[in-house]
Amino acid sequence: MSTTIPIVHSEEVREALHEHRPVVALESNVITHGLSYPHNAETAHQVEAAVRKGGSVPATICIEDGAIRVGMTAADIERFASEGGIPKVSSRDLPVVLARGGRGATTVASSLVAAELAGIPFFSSAGLGGVHRGAQTTMDISSDLIQLTRSKVAVVCAGAKMILDLALTMEYLETQCVPVIAHGSDDFPAFYCASSGIRAPHRIDDEDLIAKVVATHWAAGHPGGVVITTPPRDEDAVDPAVAEAAINDALVQAERDGVTGQGLTKYLMHAVDRATGGRTAQANMAVLISTAEVGGQMAAAYARYQSDHS
Ligand code: PSU
Ligand code: MN
């Protein structure tokens, strides 16, 4: 007996995929664990609207009743946003939650698994998980990076979360042969801030050329994804010195409270939000939305490229 993974598409997403129209996959962990109610629900809807503005159909992903849901309804989003206790499901948790018939919110990593299974080659989020500061001893590297080496999905984001060691994150992506293309800036962005201080290996502002790069990476037989970065808009970005000071305090608090592992990212992000009086949470929401619009544009460019070369 072979095992198939139940996937429930929303009608809109199913039709879009059937007609080869561009679709952008989106995660749900940011709804349950990244932002607080009701901002999380409002932001999820604004993110979907931004994907549409960019020219694509949004497909927010979650796990419900042991099935991957591709395209959450407004009622699904409201439930995930307002109910507590919905678990964070990363790639390694996925088979357990599916087999048990459970539910959960997908991280970048598990959303990439789901997107590939659903036939969606583009995904967008504000900031990737990456190599944590101090990973030399903790070995805490987000599964988001490992999954990027395994799923053929292009990820549009504002770089990786600034709470991470971004230099090591870039090293990891280089080692693992994941192309990083900066759109609209020379540097790899730092999620809240326009620059991480690290130059991106390639800058390409032409979306059609980016589409060709993605298609070429896959034509060359690579099993993984491509990272396409877009910087936060000037009006949304946080002063790097303010963010860095709050991050350093948050890291000290996390160490004092003995927080490690799966809960660390959420702990750090929330500590930084409190220390900045909500300034970083506000930036997080704005960047999710602006990135989603660029994701919509990139997926549309890729769909055009595919139809011109099929
Ligand atoms: N907390 C947030 N925002 C987020 C996340 C957590 O405030 O976006 C997420 C994303 O879902 C990302 C995950 O995929 O955290 C990475 O977690 P970890 O570093 O444990 O791999
Ligand atoms: Mn981790």
Side-chain angles (χ1 to χ4, degrees):
M1 190 186 80
S2 67
T3 301
T4 53
I5 296 183
I7 301 181
V8 180
H9 294 81
S10 69
E11 202 171 301
E12 185 191 17
V13 171
R14 184 167 3 92
E15 277 175 18
L17 290 172
H18 184 70
E19 293 164 11
H20 304 288
R21 284 187 282 124
V23 177
V24 175
L26 302 160
E27 62 160 308
S28 50
N29 184 56
V30 68
I31 301 175
T32 54
H33 290 75
L35 302 166
S36 55
Y37 188 76
H39 308 293
N40 51 0
E42 285 159 13
T43 305
H45 289 297
Q46 288 173 312
V47 163
E48 294 201 340
V51 168
R52 292 182 205 283
K53 194 171 166 207
S56 296
V57 170
T60 308
I61 291 172
C62 68
I63 316 293
E64 189 87 88
D65 299 323
I68 294 174
R69 202 157 287 195
V70 181
M72 291 171 75
T73 62
D76 292 333
I77 289 175
E78 178 62 25
R79 216 173 40 257
F80 270 61
S82 61
E83 277 181 26
I86 296 178
K88 167 181 175 177
V89 175
S90 196
S91 296
R92 69 161 185 180
D93 311 306
L94 199 57
V96 181
V97 176
L98 291 174
R100 279 195 165 137
R103 68 171 176 168
T106 53
T107 62
V108 173
S110 56
S111 299
L112 295 182
V113 174
E116 186 172 36
L117 287 169
I120 302 173
F122 270 76
F123 170 87
S124 161
S125 189
L128 286 174
V131 181
H132 279 267
R133 300 185 189 198
Q136 295 90 332
T137 48
T138 62
M139 288 185 70
D140 192 346
I141 300 175
S142 174
S143 304
D144 293 358
L145 294 187
I146 288 80
Q147 199 60 52
L148 260 167
T149 72
R150 300 181 183 177
S151 297
K152 283 169 76 168
V153 179
V155 174
V156 180
C157 59
K161 293 185 176 58
M162 196 173 168
I163 55 166
L164 302 163
D165 187 322
L166 296 180
L168 290 186
T169 300
M170 286 295 273
E171 288 292 350
Y172 190 90
L173 290 168
E174 181 182 358
T175 300
Q176 296 291 340
C177 319
V178 178
V180 176
I181 312 294
H183 176 263
S185 65
D186 291 326
D187 289 354
F188 187 68
F191 180 51
Y192 303 135
C193 306
S195 171
S196 60
I198 302 159
R199 212 175 169 83
H202 307 281
R203 172 178 180 158
I204 306 178
D205 289 346
D206 173 357
E207 287 151 26
D208 297 322
L209 182 56
I210 293 177
K212 187 174 179 182
V213 167
V214 171
T216 304
H217 187 59
W218 291 333
H222 280 281
V226 174
V227 174
I228 302 160
T229 67
T230 177
R233 296 178 308 185
D234 290 342
E235 61 268 37
D236 299 329
V238 178
D239 179 343
V242 170
E244 194 56 40
I247 290 167
N248 284 321
D249 287 348
L251 288 164
V252 171
Q253 285 169 37
E255 173 132 29
R256 188 198 58 209
D257 292 349
V259 182
T260 56
Q262 224 200 2
L264 181 63
T265 296
K266 177 177 176 176
Y267 179 98
L268 291 173
M269 303 280 288
H270 288 196
V272 170
D273 291 344
R274 280 194 307 277
T276 60
R279 180 72 190 82
T280 51
Q282 207 184 355
N284 192 343
M285 291 186 265
V287 173
L288 276 164
I289 296 163
S290 62
T291 309
E293 185 177 342
V294 177
Q297 293 165 356
M298 296 289 171
Y302 182 75
R304 277 198 306 275
Y305 181 87
Q306 289 293 90
S307 80
D308 290 350
H309 294 83
S310 59

